[in-house]
Amino acid sequence: MDKFVIEGPTPLKGTIPISGSKNAALPLMATAILGDSPTTITNVPKLRDVYTFNNVIRVTGTHVDFNEEEATLTIDPKHLSHLEAPYELVRKMRASFYMLGALVGKFGQAKVSLPGGCAWGPRPVDLHLDGMREMGVDIELDQGYVIASAPKQMKGGTFKLEPSSVGATINLVLASVLRAEEFTIKNAAREPDAVLLCETLSEMGANIEGIGTDTLTIRGVDSLSGIEVRNASDRIETGTFMIAAAMHPESDVTITNADVDDLGHFPETFRKTGVDMTIEDSTIHIKAPDTINPTSIKTKVYPGFPTDLQAQWSTMMTQAEGSCSVTDTIYDDRFSYVPEVTRLGADMDVEQNTVHIKGKTPLKGASVMSTDLRASVSLVLAGMVAKGTTDVLRIYHLDRGYEDLEQKLRNVGANIKRVDQDA
Ligand code: UD1
């Protein structure tokens, strides 16, 4: 198992290119299954979750070709015949559950493992299943598997997502585009990943009304054809590097290849910290402030503050001059990084779904443990401003979601290396 060894503090200076988005790529990959011909997705990141999903798709007999040099993935569903997503793979990554919508949508049959829990508490799939039932899919649960079957033509209906859910929106769209007479999703996710999925399906021939709004109406079509589609740039990676650039007063960073329109209200909120930021097309230039203004946030659905940047934001706020609080309204229990950042010297206190942070506290290097993807990257951010050596253990979480993280950070001056933690 690998760990990162970080020597700090170091300012970051230079250019960081943003990779393709993990959370946008996975639904596009599921979409490819619905086509009658191959689909090519460009700007695909080399991440563990992408490799895992490639394998999930391959189990079905689908041909998947990942040209890593070109960051291009070609998916040909011609020989798809095995309508199953097994537990051994689904347990590694929740998004494998998109196979339920894709398989039942295309073939009217699927056997897909329930995804199980995750590092920050239970993450149910009740909305995915109830929505499909409303649509007309017959759903049974058997030994940890969802067994789904649907007639060639389902009547459809209306289903309201409470709360709004990215994954359920994606699964319900996948299940309905080829089979439901008319299906309406209310309070649908407006996250860019769900919007890109709908736009892509429309280009393949689907009939989806209301794309980009919170009400989607899907009218089933007879067939969809494969296309070439560009995957979005990763908005969470972009936000993470924006935060990294603000944390050391001498940092001066240019972020390139960003899809700025996918950031929602985040840049406005980020400006409140006192950073000097200019945005031009896909380039964001950030000069860190001398002192960071304490800035309280609450996570919300898009275009509000993303829960996937909550841990990074709190970590930045340990370096702000004063107190603030960070509340996660999407997940109650996503604070596993707090005891770890506290080990480095932060003053943070969790009360229900809020962390209260008192800054500015000097951070000092220590060994810390990654618990999930976004928690792990916040430990890296903390390590880069902490004095001395920080060991971030169990970084395999990071390989799920940040392409070439240490290389990108080293290129802008961070002193970070990957070593075998058991050596
Ligand atoms: C996706 C993202 C994840 C992000 C999250 C919220 C991917 C692969 N993952 O996860 O990085 O943190 O959106 O932006 O894109 N809920 C239910 N029942 C359900 C489904 C969800 O109650 O059946 C709840 C969840 O517990 C949570 C809320 O809905 O409180 C939002 O979750 P959801 O949008 O579904 O998250 P994911 O799609 O799993």
Side-chain angles (χ1 to χ4, degrees), residues 4-33:
F4 280 153
V5 179
I6 304 168
E7 294 287 339
T10 46
L12 305 179
K13 287 177 195 281
T15 299
I16 307 181
I18 299 302
S19 298
S21 160
K22 165 176 91 71
N23 287 355
L26 300 170
L28 293 181
M29 292 161 69
T31 300
I33 287 176

Side-chain angles (χ1 to χ4, degrees), residues 242-243 245-247 266-277 286-297 305 312-313 316-317 319-321 324:
M242 287 167 76
I243 291 171
M247 285 179 66
F266 181 75
E268 276 164 55
T269 311
F270 183 64
R271 237 185 251 286
K272 291 184 189 160
T273 63
V275 288
D276 177 353
M277 173 174 64
I286 293 158
K287 262 170 84 88
D290 291 335
T291 56
I292 300 172
N293 300 327
T295 312
S296 297
I297 59 105
F305 195 101
Q312 300 89 314
W313 190 269
M316 168 171 61
M317 284 303 135
Q319 300 307 296
E321 290 294 340
C324 67

Side-chain angles (χ1 to χ4, degrees), residues 12-217:
L12 305 179
K13 287 177 195 281
T15 299
I16 307 181
I18 299 302
S19 298
S21 160
K22 165 176 91 71
N23 287 355
L26 300 170
L28 293 181
M29 292 161 69
T31 300
I33 287 176
L34 295 177
D36 286 342
S37 48
T39 283
T40 299
I41 308 168
T42 60
N43 198 31
V44 178
K46 294 186 287 299
L47 294 172
R48 240 202 25 236
D49 277 8
V50 169
Y51 292 103
T52 300
F53 205 37
N54 281 346
N55 290 335
V56 174
I57 295 176
R58 284 186 182 117
V59 166
T60 65
T62 301
H63 186 79
V64 180
D65 180 28
F66 191 9
N67 182 334
E68 288 150 307
E69 286 280 292
E70 306 271 323
T72 296
L73 196 57
T74 303
I75 299 176
D76 183 356
K78 190 162 67 195
H79 298 296
L80 196 164
S81 58
H82 185 65
L83 307 178
E84 183 175 342
Y87 175 66
E88 300 74 65
L89 290 171
V90 178
R91 75 181 167 84
K92 291 189 183 165
M93 189 188 67
R94 270 179 69 81
S96 312
F97 202 60
Y98 294 152
M99 290 303 277
L100 181 62
L103 291 176
V104 91
K106 177 91 178 256
F107 299 96
Q109 300 280 337
K111 180 180 175 189
V112 176
S113 169
L114 284 163
C118 110
W120 71 85
R123 289 174 72 189
V125 287
D126 55 319
L127 297 170
H128 303 230
L129 302 182
D130 290 347
M132 285 194 201
R133 285 190 180 108
E134 169 65 24
M135 194 187 296
V137 181
D138 183 54
I139 303 262
E140 274 175 50
L141 301 181
D142 185 34
Q143 298 188 320
Y145 276 80
V146 179
I147 318 280
S149 60
K152 190 144 184 39
Q153 180 107 96
M154 297 183 284
K155 203 144 179 44
T158 298
F159 188 74
K160 181 165 186 195
L161 295 171
E162 280 177 311
S164 182
S165 156
V166 178
T169 301
I170 289 168
N171 242 336
L172 294 175
V173 170
L174 291 168
S176 57
V177 275
L178 284 170
R179 249 163 225 279
E181 232 166 80
E182 184 171 304
F183 186 65
T184 299
I185 308 172
K186 297 213 155 163
N187 205 22
R190 289 185 295 146
E191 270 68 5
D193 319 320
V195 172
L196 179 61
L197 167 95
C198 291
E199 287 169 349
T200 304
L201 281 163
S202 296
E203 215 181 311
M204 292 168 77
N207 181 345
I208 306 174
E209 203 180 290
I211 297 176
T213 75
D214 65 0
T215 303
L216 296 172
T217 298

